[in-house]
Amino acid sequence: MPPETPLPETLVRDHTIYACVMGSRAFGLATEDSDTDRRGVFLAPTALFWRFEKPPTHVEGPAPEQFGWELERFCELALRANPNILECLHSPLVESVDDTGRELLALREAFLSRRAHETFTRYAHGQRRKLDADVRAHGAPRWKHAMHLLRLLISARDLLRTGALTVDVGEARESLLAVKRGEVPWPEVEARMTRLAREGEEAAARSPLPEEPDRRRVEDFLIRTRRASALQPGPYDEVVQGVVRGRGVGEG
């Protein structure tokens, strides 16, 4: 009988290949009361995919404010230019990384493409609608959310202009924190958002980014990583190793 499927927290504990801090701390916007948001990527042993019950695509926890993705799911989302995933790949606050994680980080440019304009813009529009609803209902937006939307628009514009994604806001820190504190009138914040969105549109038209991400390069990495995992000794993969090494199921 094969060993029991590991608990999700066990996958995070024993198979994380990359872990970082995200949120305000990574953005350079942390204050004394900021949480520490941890994000990571784990590599589920290949043998677990040979069962009817597959390993989870993501795990919340086990620590507070912690969230992790299985490598394949993470790569899928990154190829779609998911803003949260792309920023995770570019966090300046890396807590742990192994050889596989370093190879993933070396692929960062392979995930970047002009698709980012669509995904960042779609996310920004959704957040803007929520802010407008707050203003209509309460006379003011949630200022923290307004700050983060401005940050996202800056990040998207600069990514499209330069082809590089920078997570830390740098010199924009104080002006963004002033928005968070409610010190900037809403009409001025609206004007900034409109200007940044327009600049993002202009940058998209002549961006150095490719039209599409390098899916083949990423898939090659995933296949090699799965194969290497299958050949690693462990409690889940005795049958898999036999197949990978050329033996049939049930052969010695």
Side-chain angles (χ1 to χ4, degrees), residues 59-71:
V59 174
E60 188 169 354
E65 310 299 333
Q66 183 180 8
F67 193 95
W69 296 268
E70 206 283 323
L71 176 63

Side-chain angles (χ1 to χ4, degrees), residues 40-53:
V41 182
F42 62 91
L43 174 64
T46 298
L48 296 179
F49 290 93
W50 289 50
R51 303 179 177 195
F52 288 121
E53 183 181 353

Side-chain angles (χ1 to χ4, degrees), residues 19-217:
C20 67
V21 172
M22 283 305 300
S24 294
R25 298 192 183 281
F27 300 144
L29 293 168
T31 56
E32 290 183 359
D33 59 347
S34 294
D35 294 327
T36 300
D37 300 319
R38 289 184 164 85
R39 301 292 180 264
V41 182
F42 62 91
L43 174 64
T46 298
L48 296 179
F49 290 93
W50 289 50
R51 303 179 177 195
F52 288 121
E53 183 181 353
K54 308 301 181 186
T57 58
H58 59 271
V59 174
E60 188 169 354
E65 310 299 333
Q66 183 180 8
F67 193 95
W69 296 268
E70 206 283 323
L71 176 63
E72 183 174 341
R73 178 59 173 166
F74 186 86
C75 289
E76 287 176 345
L77 293 172
L79 287 168
R80 297 178 195 171
N82 179 291
N84 291 326
I85 299 294
L86 291 182
E87 289 180 337
C88 183
L89 272 173
H90 292 78
S91 173
L93 303 177
V94 176
E95 292 196 313
S96 68
V97 60
D98 66 6
D99 289 342
T100 304
R102 276 185 279 274
E103 190 170 356
L104 173 65
L105 294 181
L107 284 171
R108 283 183 291 201
E109 65 175 18
F111 294 105
L112 296 178
S113 71
R114 294 191 185 191
R115 286 187 180 187
H117 179 238
E118 177 187 352
T119 55
F120 277 68
T121 299
R122 185 167 61 242
Y123 184 81
H125 284 166
Q127 294 303 303
R128 179 64 183 272
R129 286 193 295 271
K130 293 178 181 178
L131 291 171
D132 289 339
D134 286 340
V135 172
R136 289 193 299 269
H138 308 292
R142 285 172 286 185
W143 292 109
K144 179 179 178 179
H145 293 189
M147 174 193 72
H148 281 298
L149 178 50
L150 285 170
R151 182 206 64 78
L152 181 75
L153 290 168
I154 293 170
S155 179
R157 179 202 62 188
D158 293 348
L159 168 61
L160 292 163
R161 280 179 174 177
T162 66
L165 182 58
T166 302
V167 172
D168 192 297
V169 300
E171 294 180 356
R173 170 182 164 86
E174 291 308 319
S175 64
L176 288 170
L177 287 177
V179 172
K180 180 183 178 181
R181 293 189 296 264
E183 297 171 359
V184 183
W186 175 240
E188 182 177 337
V189 174
E190 282 187 301
R192 287 189 197 177
M193 291 176 178
T194 300
R195 174 177 55 81
L196 288 168
R198 182 181 67 252
E199 291 172 352
E201 289 281 351
E202 295 168 352
R206 52 181 183 273
S207 176
L209 290 173
E211 288 290 338
E212 298 291 333
D214 194 341
R215 184 181 180 90
R216 178 174 296 182
R217 185 178 166 198

